[in-house]
Amino acid sequence: MKKVLILLILFYGHLYALDRDSTLKLYHKLFFSLSPKAEISVYVNDNEYRKIFLSSKRLQLTKEPKDADIVLITDERTLEKVLAKRQDIQTDKKPILFVTDHHFLDRSKDIVGAFYWRKGRSQLLFVKNRLDQYHIVLPAEYQKFIIDEL
Amino acid sequence: MKQQYLNRFILLLTALLIAFAIYLQYTIVESTHRLKKEEIKKSERYAQKIANYIQSKIETDIEFTLANDPELRQELNRVLQTFLTQQYQYIFLLKKDAKGYFRFLLDGSKNDPEDFNAIFFPKSELFEQVCKTHKMQIVRQQEGVEHVWLSLVYPLVKHNHTEALLVLDLSEAYGKYLNDFNSPLMTVVKIMQIFLFGSLLLLAIILYRYSKFRKSILEDTLTSSYTKLYLEEFFNRYKVDQYNAILLDIDEFKQVNTKYGHKSGDTVLKMFVDTINSIVSPLKGKVIRTAGAEFFIVIPKDQVKIGIVAKKLFEILKEKKYLVENEVVSLTVSMSAIEVPKGTSSVQNILRLLDEKLLEIKSKGKDNLGILGIEHLDESLYGNMDYIREALEEERLLCLYQPIFHTEKKEIVKYETLVRLIDKDDPDKLISPYHFMKVIKGTSQYIKMSKLVLNRAFSTLKMYPDIELSVNLDLDDLYNSDMMKLISENLHEYKEFANRLTFEILEDHEIYDYGKVSLIFQQLKAYGSKIAIDDFGSGYANYNYLIQLDVEILKIDGSLIRELETEPARTKTVLASIKALASTFNYELVAEFVSSKEIYEAMKELGIEYSQGFYLGEPKPIEEYIH
């Protein structure tokens, strides 16, 4: 009986790990497509994401958006905070902004893209001129997700 | 039902039940599949209705109309909302723009509806295909899609051009509902399958344990030969007469145990059996340990003649040397072998015959081989008390009747009742008293047999009122109170037939008490029965009888009659003197063994009143003489 319980726990644990792994894998690939660095510093306010990114050796979490190469914005408050403080940062040191809500894309021309859900489907979107702004060239597999304008 | 058939039946039954459960599962899966198909068909019709409605509302270019008429957009969005029942997660209308991106035209979602012209990545190439082919497609749930079981992508076509795509997303919950529709039944079937698989597993475990247990009781752990139980089981499956048999016993094996200890004795025994197996196994033979150092071997008849294999085995076992504690030990064996006759069904009888032969060999100094033939089988088998007892219990007994002729007239005057046992395995084979009479004399079985014979003799007398019969009676029977009681009871019961019955008195020793015998004769004669002295002129049936006993008939001993063939003149003289004597005493004479015309003619010439023998008539069932 004990063995069965352990097996069940391991099985569900494995499923949970799979979900976290796939999320990390997705963002890992995404971030390293956005930045040419070998190690990327990321700012994200959401604890779930922070936990996920912690398990990566090549992603470094920062406490402040200004210290990050990429800022992942998942909520309105963080968006406002990041956009407000962004004025103070030097142009060449401004982090790349990426969001998880497509509505946020309208809020700033500095946001290069979004990963969000629409009608039950995951959507990945990049805005071409915004990528250009950061001199980002995405790999071929992302080309179909790049749009000229919203 | 035999165990093996029962096992097969249970396995077959379980397999059938499992097949039935699998069939049920297949049926349920199939029915769920059909249900889903029907629901998809319904959704197709639903999508068609919605599309027709939209097209009825927009006669010109859809995109252009909706882009320029926000009110119509709102109205149609509301209409889509009304179409959005529980089974649909989303209903929306897409267009493909000039750059190939899909964008929203309408969205029926209540909460957070998508803006007009918002971009949409459909996650499936099928959307493109619908645009190209103008044919509806069903898109199954795939990676990166949530809450959607499947999507119906319905094209709104005008002038051979897909203007828009109507997307109906069937909800995951609805898909689950359809999947679970038959789930109670499916659960029952699955439980049934688990139960059946469990039963099969359990059955397999039981069979495995049974086979292990069976092996443990059928195989001798020490020598790896079989046990006696195996022998019984083996011959339940195979016919005894398909095999020949050997019984062997190691002479003085006890001495090996005593001298070297049981452990060494066991090793020797194991090596001994290995040696037997090396000869017997290639011949498909089986070695059965019947006692400590006694082994029974059966070999299929088609392999080799038993005499050859027995001799070879005997020689090899005799030559074999065993190294025990640095000493070379030789063993001798006593062995009996038999070529089992066709029709033999009892292995116990074979074993008993071999055992008897083995005892004979052992009594004559051991270390020898004896091979039994068919004649030994008859002798030993029919002379076995158990066999006779079984025959009498089953009333496998037959009375034959040999006619006694009036010599001059050559007419039947009487029949002698002769008993035969019927062979257990071959009902046409009759066993003569020569084989069994000596064994049962003086036992309760003899009384039992006599009772059966008397009963049948009286029944025959009753059935055929014109005939006379004679039955044989042993001199010792007259001294046996049980036997005499039986005879008296029968005579009393059938007294009206008693005067047609003759008792032929046989003897194998001298009469000691003529007074008592005379008295008994008088008792028998009181019912009207006659007394005949059998085998007169030989052994103890001598002239003294004529003086001491009051009898009616003398049956001349067959050996005297047979002498007519070799010494006719002298024999005739003796027979003439017996005739003269009998005439003086008014005895009737019966000649036995009249086996040829010459003898019969001699009897006529001598004036012997009655004749009996194969020339005149063989022992047969009475029906064959009386028509």
Side-chain angles (χ1 to χ4, degrees):
Chain A
M1 195 63 198
K2 269 184 186 174
K3 276 184 183 174
V4 175
L5 274 173
I6 289 165
L7 279 173
L8 278 174
I9 290 163
L10 284 175
F11 178 68
Y12 284 110
H14 183 65
L15 281 184
Y16 178 65
L18 269 180
D19 190 40
R20 289 176 63 147
D21 280 354
S22 61
T23 307
L24 177 64
K25 204 174 163 188
L26 189 140
Y27 279 102
H28 210 274
K29 196 172 176 188
L30 190 64
F31 290 164
F32 282 97
S33 301
L34 290 172
S35 170
K37 290 185 175 178
E39 275 191 6
I40 301 170
S41 52
V42 179
Y43 174 80
V44 61
N45 194 37
D46 190 293
N47 267 337
E48 260 324 294
Y49 280 100
R50 288 187 79 83
K51 275 180 200 168
I52 292 168
F53 295 157
L54 264 175
S55 57
S56 169
K57 287 176 183 173
R58 292 174 65 199
L59 294 178
Q60 303 297 324
L61 288 169
T62 64
K63 286 182 182 174
E64 290 300 326
K66 64 178 171 60
D67 303 325
D69 297 316
I70 297 171
V71 174
L72 179 66
I73 303 163
T74 61
D75 60 290
E76 182 81 34
R77 219 174 130 190
T78 312
L79 176 70
E80 279 171 11
K81 187 181 142 188
V82 170
L83 292 179
K85 287 187 177 178
R86 196 168 170 78
Q87 311 300 327
D88 309 331
I89 308 167
Q90 282 180 3
T91 312
D92 59 334
K93 286 186 178 176
K94 278 183 182 174
I96 300 164
L97 302 184
F98 194 82
V99 295
T100 59
D101 187 329
H102 70 285
H103 292 111
F104 294 172
L105 288 167
D106 298 327
R107 304 282 290 274
S108 168
K109 297 227 183 277
D110 289 346
I111 302 169
V112 294
F115 178 76
Y116 58 96
W117 291 85
R118 187 168 258 171
K119 297 287 167 252
R121 285 125 173 125
S122 59
Q123 307 278 300
L124 182 62
L125 180 70
F126 299 100
V127 184
K128 191 174 184 310
N129 54 4
R130 299 183 187 183
L131 289 170
D132 294 343
Q133 190 183 310
Y134 290 95
H135 310 291
I136 298 167
V137 180
L138 287 174
E141 59 189 292
Y142 289 130
Q143 290 302 318
K144 59 183 172 183
F145 302 115
I146 302 170
I147 57 166
D148 293 336
E149 56 188 46
L150 283 173
Chain B
M1 199 185 287
K2 281 187 177 177
Q3 186 68 39
Q4 52 180 333
Y5 293 121
L6 187 68
N7 287 345
R8 280 182 200 171
F9 176 72
I10 292 169
L11 276 172
L12 183 71
L13 196 68
T14 318
L16 278 175
L17 284 171
I18 289 169
F20 178 64
I22 289 168
Y23 169 73
L24 271 184
Q25 190 183 18
Y26 169 76
T27 314
I28 292 163
V29 169
E30 192 60 27
S31 115
T32 310
H33 188 64
R34 263 205 309 276
L35 185 71
K36 283 198 239 174
K37 244 181 161 176
E38 276 169 22
E39 286 306 310
I40 291 167
K41 282 266 174 211
K42 271 188 205 169
S43 296
E44 274 179 48
R45 289 195 291 272
Y46 200 61
Q48 197 176 10
K49 268 185 193 173
I50 300 169
N52 288 345
Y53 181 79
I54 293 168
Q55 282 178 321
S56 71
K57 283 285 178 183
I58 308 166
E59 287 177 358
T60 53
D61 181 70
I62 292 177
E63 187 189 349
F64 180 78
T65 310
L66 290 173
N68 295 301
D69 191 346
E71 279 181 17
L72 181 64
R73 249 181 14 232
Q74 266 188 352
E75 186 199 327
L76 287 174
N77 276 340
R78 275 197 300 276
V79 170
L80 289 188
Q81 230 175 73
T82 55
F83 278 111
L84 200 62
T85 59
Q86 270 191 331
Q87 70 191 73
Y88 299 103
Q89 188 73 21
Y90 311 109
I91 300 177
F92 51 93
L93 194 69
L94 295 173
K95 66 159 185 177
K96 195 177 170 190
D97 68 12
K99 289 182 179 173
Y101 297 116
F102 286 96
R103 290 181 184 274
F104 281 94
L105 291 177
L106 296 170
D107 183 7
S109 300
K110 253 184 206 172
N111 305 320
D112 196 17
E114 299 298 341
D115 296 334
F116 179 76
N117 216 31
I119 197 161
F120 179 72
F121 295 98
K123 314 285 294 178
S124 168
E125 298 298 321
L126 289 174
F127 281 68
E128 289 283 350
Q129 210 173 316
V130 177
C131 290
K132 278 181 196 161
T133 60
H134 321 308
K135 281 182 183 167
M136 194 206 72
Q137 290 285 344
I138 293 163
V139 184
R140 306 271 160 191
Q141 191 185 31
Q142 51 198 298
E143 206 185 344
V145 180
E146 282 183 351
H147 313 305
V148 176
W149 167 41
L150 53 85
S151 306
L152 259 82
V153 186
Y154 192 89
L156 273 71
V157 184
K158 198 181 243 179
H159 305 306
N160 208 24
H161 167 69
T162 302
E163 280 194 308
L165 299 178
L166 177 69
V167 182
L168 268 77
D169 284 340
L170 276 88
S171 72
E172 201 174 36
Y174 187 62
K176 195 171 180 305
Y177 163 75
L178 291 178
N179 272 329
D180 294 349
F181 190 76
N182 284 320
S183 67
L185 198 57
M186 195 62 145
T187 309
V188 172
V189 171
K190 279 186 177 162
I191 289 170
M192 190 173 153
Q193 280 178 345
I194 291 167
F195 173 74
L196 287 171
F197 275 114
S199 303
L200 197 68
L201 192 71
L202 203 67
L203 200 68
I205 292 168
I206 291 169
L207 282 177
Y208 172 72
R209 288 179 66 87
Y210 167 73
S211 70
K212 267 186 89 174
F213 169 71
R214 197 169 161 273
K215 200 181 169 193
S216 74
I217 57 168
L218 296 181
E219 260 188 41
D220 178 47
T221 46
L222 173 66
T223 61
S224 299
S225 57
Y226 295 103
T227 61
K228 264 182 131 174
L229 202 62
Y230 175 82
L231 187 67
E232 278 177 35
E233 206 174 75
F234 184 78
F235 283 115
N236 277 337
R237 279 181 284 147
Y238 301 102
K239 286 183 175 177
V240 178
D241 63 359
Q242 300 294 308
Y243 290 81
N244 286 325
I246 297 170
L247 185 69
L248 63 90
D249 190 27
I250 307 173
D251 298 328
E252 309 296 344
F253 188 72
K254 205 179 167 188
Q255 283 181 11
V256 177
N257 279 329
T258 313
K259 194 172 175 185
Y260 303 103
H262 283 275
K263 204 175 168 186
S264 298
D266 287 351
T267 311
V268 171
L269 206 58
K270 199 175 172 336
M271 284 193 280
F272 179 81
V273 174
D274 287 345
T275 312
I276 299 176
N277 271 323
S278 69
I279 299 155
V280 168
S281 293
L283 303 172
K284 296 175 188 165
K286 307 277 176 196
V287 182
I288 298 109
R289 190 178 180 192
T290 45
E294 188 185 86
F295 298 91
F296 183 60
I297 301 161
V298 288
I299 298 166
K301 275 185 175 172
D302 55 8
Q303 291 300 314
V304 68
K305 278 194 178 294
I306 194 67
I308 297 167
V309 71
K311 276 175 194 160
K312 187 181 171 188
L313 188 63
F314 182 76
E315 292 302 327
I316 289 173
L317 292 174
K318 205 174 164 181
E319 294 298 319
K320 174 87 180 167
K321 304 278 184 270
Y322 306 89
L323 189 67
V324 185
E325 292 177 3
N326 293 329
E327 265 190 59
V328 176
V329 176
S330 296
L331 297 173
T332 62
V333 291
S334 296
M335 193 189 285
S336 55
I338 188 165
E339 185 168 344
V340 178
K342 207 174 173 190
T344 306
S345 62
S346 167
V347 71
Q348 293 308 325
N349 278 334
I350 298 297
L351 201 53
R352 189 181 50 73
L353 286 175
L354 290 170
D355 198 37
E356 279 172 10
K357 187 70 185 172
L358 202 67
L359 279 173
E360 187 190 318
I361 293 165
K362 280 174 175 278
S363 67
K364 289 178 181 172
K366 303 175 184 174
D367 186 18
N368 208 348
L369 163 68
I371 296 171
L372 293 163
I374 293 170
E375 68 283 0
H376 291 95
L377 187 78
D378 276 2
E379 210 170 280
S380 303
L381 183 65
Y382 303 145
N384 179 258
M385 184 57 98
D386 292 335
Y387 185 89
I388 300 164
R389 186 182 291 116
E390 194 185 338
L392 293 174
E393 271 169 14
E394 292 169 6
E395 295 201 11
R396 279 191 283 109
L397 177 136
L398 182 72
C399 281
L400 296 179
Y401 299 89
Q402 188 174 31
I404 299 168
F405 280 77
H406 188 282
T407 313
E408 192 62 40
K409 294 178 186 170
K410 212 179 181 182
E411 284 173 0
I412 298 171
V413 291
K414 200 184 282 180
Y415 298 90
E416 184 180 356
T417 311
L418 299 163
V419 67
R420 300 285 187 270
L421 288 183
I422 300 165
D423 186 90
K424 189 181 176 181
D425 303 311
D426 179 8
D428 293 332
K429 190 173 180 184
L430 299 178
I431 307 156
S432 90
Y434 163 78
H435 294 294
F436 57 84
M437 202 54 94
K438 273 185 191 169
V439 181
I440 62 166
K441 250 186 189 175
T443 69
S444 60
Q445 296 309 312
Y446 182 70
I447 305 283
K448 196 171 183 177
M449 181 184 282
S450 303
K451 192 175 178 180
L452 285 169
V453 171
L454 280 173
N455 270 331
R456 291 193 187 182
F458 276 114
S459 297
T460 308
L461 285 171
K462 193 178 173 182
M463 196 179 292
Y464 302 102
D466 299 328
I467 65 162
E468 284 191 30
L469 293 180
S470 69
V471 291
N472 290 304
L473 202 60
D474 195 272
L475 192 60
D476 287 336
D477 294 342
L478 305 177
Y479 301 129
N480 185 310
S481 57
D482 290 334
M483 191 66 193
M484 284 317 294
K485 192 181 166 198
L486 174 74
I487 292 168
S488 300
E489 280 171 2
N490 270 282
L491 286 173
H492 190 73
E493 191 182 340
Y494 300 103
K495 52 182 173 270
E496 66 267 41
F497 314 118
N499 62 340
R500 290 191 279 128
L501 187 68
T502 302
F503 290 98
E504 293 186 13
I505 310 296
L506 300 155
E507 39 61 66
D508 55 8
H509 61 78
E510 202 178 339
I511 298 173
Y512 303 111
D513 189 347
Y514 280 100
K516 190 176 180 182
V517 173
S518 264
L519 195 67
I520 293 164
F521 280 6
Q522 277 173 23
Q523 283 173 7
L524 298 177
K525 285 161 87 170
Y527 289 97
S529 300
K530 296 184 187 79
I531 306 290
I533 295 291
D534 207 0
D535 298 336
F536 183 79
S538 75
Y540 303 98
N542 54 38
Y543 292 100
N544 211 11
Y545 288 9
L546 306 180
I547 301 163
Q548 302 283 347
L549 300 173
D550 181 17
V551 297
E552 282 88 8
I553 302 156
L554 296 178
K555 288 191 88 171
I556 304 164
D557 187 51
S559 59
L560 268 177
I561 306 293
R562 263 203 298 259
E563 288 298 320
L564 278 169
E565 288 171 339
T566 50
E567 292 285 346
R570 293 167 74 97
T571 308
K572 274 182 185 173
T573 308
V574 172
L575 291 173
S577 79
I578 293 172
K579 168 65 188 165
L581 195 69
S583 299
T584 311
F585 283 98
N586 282 330
Y587 294 147
E588 290 173 350
L589 275 180
V590 181
E592 289 183 300
F593 285 45
V594 179
S595 56
S596 65
K597 195 178 180 220
E598 290 71 30
I599 296 175
Y600 171 67
E601 291 301 332
M603 292 306 111
K604 266 207 310 197
E605 186 191 325
L606 287 162
I608 308 289
E609 289 93 335
Y610 304 106
S611 300
Q612 177 185 358
F614 274 42
Y615 171 66
L616 296 166
E618 291 175 22
K620 285 180 186 174
I622 194 77
E623 300 80 20
E624 292 190 26
Y625 285 110
I626 303 166
H627 305 290

